[in-house]
Amino acid sequence: VIIFLMMRSILLLVAAAAAALQLDPATAFVSPTVDGTLCARHRRQRADISSAAAADSAATAAATPAEQTAASVARLKKVLEREYISFFDPMEDSWYSPSVSFVDPMTELSGVDQYRANVDMLAGRTLMGKILFEDAGINLHSVTGGEVSQNARGEVEIADITTRWTLKVTASVLPWKPTARFTGISVYKVVPDATASTGVQIVGQTDYWDSVNLRPNSDGQYQRVEKSLAIQDFLDQLKPGGPKAQAAAPELPYELLRRGDGYEVRRYPPYVGVRLPYKRRDEGFGSLGAFTRGMNPLGPAIMEVENSDVSDKYMMWPLSYAMPGEDEAVAPQDATDKAGDGQWRTMKIVPVPGPAVVAVRPFTDASMEPVVRKADRELRGLLKRDGLLPRAGSEDMVRFAQYDAIFSMGQRRGEVWIELEKGSEGGHPW
């Protein structure tokens, strides 16, 4: 009881500190990379924007007010990209109104100075930031909007700019160092300002989390909610977990696109795996284990069961995946040589194209058919609620993943997978 009360007190302290320090997902920083890729990209962007600014200045005088505003908005969107990548170092104050407002599900603040102080804390540039948090990072998925138009009175208007992102931050103040993840959007309200050197000014920013702010059955629209819901969402991610089942293999990498209410959306790279038909999962694990000995296969084991009593069930283990910049993965030569021959005649090397955007719903019970089919139905309901469309034909089978070693002890990790339809119109926004 004493340990429980101590943990609860620590969790509440972290939540209160985060609220007091005005934790803002859109201001989380990108961790530096060991190869300097982000730094090099940052320098290239600075050079590109400086060159573009010099070229644009000569043409600005002859442009109409709407054209001038459109050019300024285009530069602002590049500035936002750069600020996310560099974690606002430096923060380009000239693009923000001195009285700019910032609102997220947990906090509200006003003014550039408060915003900068918050950023410095999250970046570890303050003592409090170094005590509370570590390993914070943000991944910017897109910057959209900002269309320029003229109303009936001839006034120039700017549509809201929207960024879509994924944030993670580790609470280093807690002994078990949990990592909280948030995904969502930031909506920037921008107005023309002829008195500003930038031509436009950000006057407001509102952040929404996918986990609490998505309005049900609204085709993916967002709404404001009570702060208590956001605080609880944060606290739930900080709770210590129980003993976990042993992982069967290193996990196939992915990019988290959405942490929604009851599900996640991920982007997987192209990969190649070895697949076989199976009757019992333990026999499938044994056969694939023997085939891949010495190949360092990846997890999870991916099963596909068609909605037919006479169809085979299939199990696949990923073998390799495409690195950034590569279009396809290459199977180990040993696997290519052995598959389909002799005792391995039922084995088949299968390339999986990508990148693929996949929705997943976790379950912790054993992967029995009633459990898996129930999770699949639940996931399809959640996707419909939040305006996401499963890929055509996905309803013909159930696809699920098992991460833990077979017969292992502890909390199991299983998931049902449904690939999403491509495209923002009726598909997904990534």
Side-chain angles (χ1 to χ4, degrees), residues 1-7:
V1 172
I2 293 173
I3 293 174
F4 170 78
L5 292 175
M6 290 176 62
M7 288 181 174

Side-chain angles (χ1 to χ4, degrees), residues 344-363:
W344 313 117
R345 62 186 179 279
T346 60
M347 304 286 181
K348 184 178 180 180
I349 302 301
V350 178
V352 179
V357 175
V358 179
V360 305
R361 177 167 173 79
F363 59 87

Side-chain angles (χ1 to χ4, degrees), residues 42-380:
H42 188 189
R43 289 193 295 269
R44 289 195 300 270
Q45 286 184 328
R46 285 176 178 273
D48 291 345
I49 290 178
S50 298
S51 299
D56 289 344
S57 60
T60 300
T64 66
E67 291 171 338
Q68 293 178 18
T69 300
S72 296
V73 170
R75 289 193 294 271
L76 172 58
K77 292 167 77 171
K78 291 294 185 182
V79 167
L80 290 174
E81 289 182 7
R82 186 166 67 252
E83 286 188 326
Y84 275 72
I85 291 171
S86 67
F87 188 40
F88 296 83
D89 184 19
M91 180 176 176
E92 302 194 31
D93 298 3
S94 59
W95 293 91
Y96 295 85
S97 167
S99 59
V100 63
S101 63
F102 299 89
V103 180
D104 77 4
M106 284 205 309
T107 60
E108 297 183 15
L109 58 115
S110 179
V112 174
D113 291 339
Q114 288 191 38
Y115 187 82
R116 185 186 296 104
N118 180 49
V119 171
D120 288 343
M121 184 273 300
L122 286 174
R125 294 190 284 265
T126 67
L127 178 61
M128 183 62 69
K130 293 177 181 178
I131 294 174
L132 289 177
F133 304 113
E134 66 180 33
D135 193 30
I138 193 166
N139 188 10
L140 179 64
H141 303 304
S142 63
V143 182
T144 59
E147 296 81 6
V148 175
S149 61
Q150 284 185 294
N151 59 27
R153 298 185 299 274
E155 299 169 335
V156 176
E157 296 179 340
I158 305 172
D160 292 342
I161 295 176
T162 301
T163 60
R164 192 174 292 274
W165 41 260
T166 296
L167 164 74
K168 70 169 185 175
V169 61
T170 297
S172 57
V173 69
L174 296 174
W176 55 94
K177 294 189 175 183
T179 296
R181 293 175 174 84
F182 304 90
T183 65
I185 64 171
S186 296
V187 179
Y188 293 85
K189 188 161 291 295
V190 184
V191 299
D193 189 343
T195 65
S197 60
T198 56
V200 296
Q201 292 274 279
I202 298 173
V203 297
Q205 176 184 331
T206 304
D207 291 351
Y208 299 96
W209 298 353
D210 292 330
S211 53
V212 298
N213 292 119
L214 278 168
R215 181 186 297 122
N217 304 310
S218 66
D219 197 27
Q221 300 300 308
Y222 293 84
Q223 63 181 356
R224 297 289 299 276
V225 297
E226 295 292 331
K227 290 184 179 180
S228 59
L229 295 177
I231 294 174
Q232 188 62 51
D233 180 63
F234 181 43
L235 283 176
D236 287 344
Q237 297 189 71
L238 301 182
K239 294 177 181 178
K244 306 290 186 182
Q246 179 184 357
E251 187 173 346
L252 183 69
Y254 65 84
E255 179 184 10
L256 178 64
L257 300 176
R258 169 174 288 179
R259 177 183 160 268
D261 181 9
Y263 69 99
E264 290 183 357
V265 178
R266 304 170 183 166
R267 179 186 286 118
Y268 282 94
Y271 62 94
V272 62
V274 56
R275 188 177 73 167
L276 85 162
Y278 74 98
K279 298 296 183 182
R280 293 171 39 136
R281 275 186 297 121
D282 56 345
E283 295 176 351
F285 268 79
S287 297
L288 287 173
F291 177 86
T292 59
R293 188 170 290 114
M295 297 183 192
N296 299 319
L298 302 169
I302 303 168
M303 278 68 71
E304 293 182 351
V305 181
E306 295 187 7
N307 297 330
S308 170
D309 294 335
V310 298
S311 298
D312 284 329
K313 299 183 291 186
Y314 293 94
M315 179 184 295
M316 180 170 66
W317 284 11
L319 296 175
S320 63
Y321 58 91
M323 301 299 289
E326 296 177 347
D327 294 330
E328 59 184 21
V330 178
Q333 189 62 47
D334 287 352
T336 303
D337 293 341
K338 293 195 304 183
D341 186 35
Q343 64 174 318
W344 313 117
R345 62 186 179 279
T346 60
M347 304 286 181
K348 184 178 180 180
I349 302 301
V350 178
V352 179
V357 175
V358 179
V360 305
R361 177 167 173 79
F363 59 87
T364 55
D365 293 329
S367 301
M368 306 299 290
E369 182 173 355
V371 173
V372 173
R373 291 196 180 277
K374 179 175 181 289
D376 182 81
R377 290 193 300 270
E378 291 172 342
L379 178 55
R380 292 182 186 278

